[in-house]
Amino acid sequence: MPSAKRAGPVLNRRAPTPVVVHSAPIVLPVCADPIRDGAVATKGDRVVEVGTRASVTTSFPAAEELRWTGMIVAGLVDARSAAPAAGPGVTARAGVVSDLAELAGVPGISYVEVTSASEEEWETRGRDAVITTIREVDRPCAVGIAAHTPDPQVLEDVAVLARTFGLRLLVDLDRHSPAALDEAGVLGRLCHVAVSRPLDPGERKLLRLRKTVVAVCASPAPDVLALLDEGNPVALGTGAGGGPAGVLGVARGIRQHARELGLRTRGLDGRLVVAATMGGARALGMDRGKGRIGSLAPGARADFAVFDARGRYPYAALLAQPPCLGTVIGGTVLPAA
C-alpha cells in the first residue's frame, strides 16, 4: 500500500480566536454573587468563563491577562436614552432616534419615533416611512418603535406593526396611561415603558400582569420600592435628556430619596444594580440565550464595565458613582470617555 502523505498547508485558514482573561479585585457578574479576586475569560465577543482569578487562569494558562484595578461589573443598560453618546459604563441602551441616519454606532436597540398626530398623517406618510426604515436596516432585531403618537388609532396600528415584524416597542407613560396602551394592544413582553411620574397601584398591577418592564427615568421616584416589592420588572433609564450621571446616577438618587423618607432599604443597592443591568437587558429583550447582555456568565456577550470601586460592600461602592476606567463591548476594550 502506498505510504500516507502529509497534507499540505490549508490556505485561507483563520487563526483561532484567542482567549483573553480580564481580572480585577472584584468581579460583579450580577447574575451571581460578587467574586473576590475574580476574572472573566472572553473569546471573541463571548464570555467563556467567570470565576476566581486562580480558577480562570488555570483553565486558560496561555491566555493574555488584562489586570484591572477596581471592579469589573456586567455592562450597564440605559433603558431610555436620547443622548448622542452612552453614559459611564453603559454598553447597551434603548436609544430613541428620528431617522435612519442616527442608527449608526448606537449599541442595543434604536427605537424609531412615530409622532404622527392623526391617523390620516400616519397613513399618508408615517407608516411607509417606518416600514422602509425597518427594511433598510442590516440587523432588523436592532430596531424598534418609540410610539410617541397621541392618536389611539395610530397606536393600535403601531402595535400590529410591531407584532408583525417582531419589533420591540417603547412608550413614555408621560404621554399615555397604561390603560390606554393596554386598550390599544401595546403592552406585553415586546414592550417596555419609560416613566418619570408616580404610578398608582392599579397602573402598577396592569403593567405587572402584562409583564411589561418599567424603566424608571427620574430620581427621586417615590414608588420604585413599591414596583420592586410588588414584583414589577424594573429597569433604569436616563430619560429624554440623557442625564450626564447616567443610570448609576438615577439609582443613587432613588436610594438617597428612600433613605430621606425613612423607608426600608435593606438589599436595595443590589436590586438597583440588577435593574441597571439585567433589568435593562430584559427591557430590550436581550436577557436570554446566547449573546445575552446585562450579566456575566458563559455564553453572554462580552460586555462589561470597569469602575474604580472597591470595598466590603460592592453594590454600595458602585452606587457611589466611582470613575469608570473603561468598558468592554463585544470583547473590544474601549477607554473611558
Side-chain angles (χ1 to χ4, degrees):
M1 295 179 63
S3 61
K5 294 182 179 179
R6 184 182 299 274
V10 178
L11 299 179
N12 300 323
R13 175 180 288 175
R14 293 183 179 179
T17 303
V19 173
V20 178
V21 173
H22 298 262
S23 63
I26 303 174
V27 172
L28 204 60
V30 180
C31 58
D33 292 336
I35 304 170
R36 301 286 175 176
D37 194 17
V40 179
T42 66
K43 185 176 183 179
D45 64 351
R46 293 287 188 270
V47 173
V48 292
E49 187 172 331
V50 180
T52 63
R53 183 187 184 195
S55 65
V56 174
T57 54
T58 298
S59 297
F60 303 99
E64 175 190 5
E65 180 180 3
L66 296 181
R67 182 67 175 170
W68 297 89
T69 59
M71 180 192 302
I72 292 174
V73 60
L76 306 178
V77 182
D78 187 339
R80 190 354 183 154
S81 173
V90 171
T91 58
R93 63 189 179 127
V96 179
V97 299
S98 57
D99 59 55
L100 187 62
E102 297 178 53
L103 293 175
V106 179
I109 295 180
S110 297
Y111 290 81
V112 180
E113 278 189 302
V114 171
T115 58
S116 300
S118 65
E119 189 175 10
E120 179 181 3
E121 180 183 340
W122 170 246
E123 292 292 346
T124 302
R125 300 189 301 275
R127 196 173 195 277
D128 287 343
V130 170
I131 292 174
T132 299
T133 297
I134 295 167
R135 288 176 172 168
E136 290 183 355
V137 173
D138 292 336
R139 296 181 301 134
C141 61
V143 177
I145 298 177
H148 291 170
T149 173
D151 189 280
Q153 299 301 320
V154 178
L155 271 180
E156 287 186 15
D157 200 37
V158 165
V160 172
L161 195 64
R163 288 193 294 270
T164 300
F165 286 92
L167 302 175
R168 307 294 303 182
L169 282 169
L170 170 59
V171 189
D172 289 341
L173 292 189
D174 291 343
R175 303 170 185 265
H176 301 283
S177 70
L181 295 173
D182 193 46
E183 186 175 351
V186 172
L187 299 183
R189 293 180 182 272
L190 288 176
C191 173
H192 79 279
V193 297
V195 61
S196 56
R197 64 172 177 84
L199 300 173
D200 64 45
E203 291 177 318
R204 297 196 299 267
K205 182 177 181 179
L206 177 58
L207 293 167
R208 188 164 62 251
L209 289 173
R210 297 294 179 260
K211 303 185 186 306
T212 299
V213 179
V214 180
V216 177
C217 298
S219 57
D223 59 350
V224 174
L225 293 185
L227 286 164
L228 292 169
D229 290 341
E230 292 169 5
N232 286 78
V234 175
L236 300 180
T238 53
V247 291
L248 288 183
V250 175
R252 179 183 172 90
I254 291 169
R255 182 187 64 176
Q256 183 63 33
H257 185 62
R259 288 180 174 177
E260 290 172 356
L261 294 177
L263 301 176
R264 178 178 58 85
T265 58
R266 184 177 181 180
L268 181 59
D269 293 349
R271 298 170 83 183
L272 290 173
V273 171
V274 170
T277 51
M278 292 176 65
R282 184 172 177 180
L284 273 61
M286 302 174 71
D287 60 323
R288 295 178 181 272
K290 294 181 179 179
R292 61 194 179 278
I293 64 173
S295 62
L296 293 175
R301 197 168 77 187
D303 287 8
F304 51 89
V306 185
F307 289 91
D308 188 15
R310 49 183 62 82
R312 185 177 178 184
Y313 302 103
Y315 296 108
L318 191 59
L319 292 193
Q321 291 184 266
C324 181
L325 303 176
T327 56
V328 175
I329 300 179
T332 299
V333 180
L334 303 175

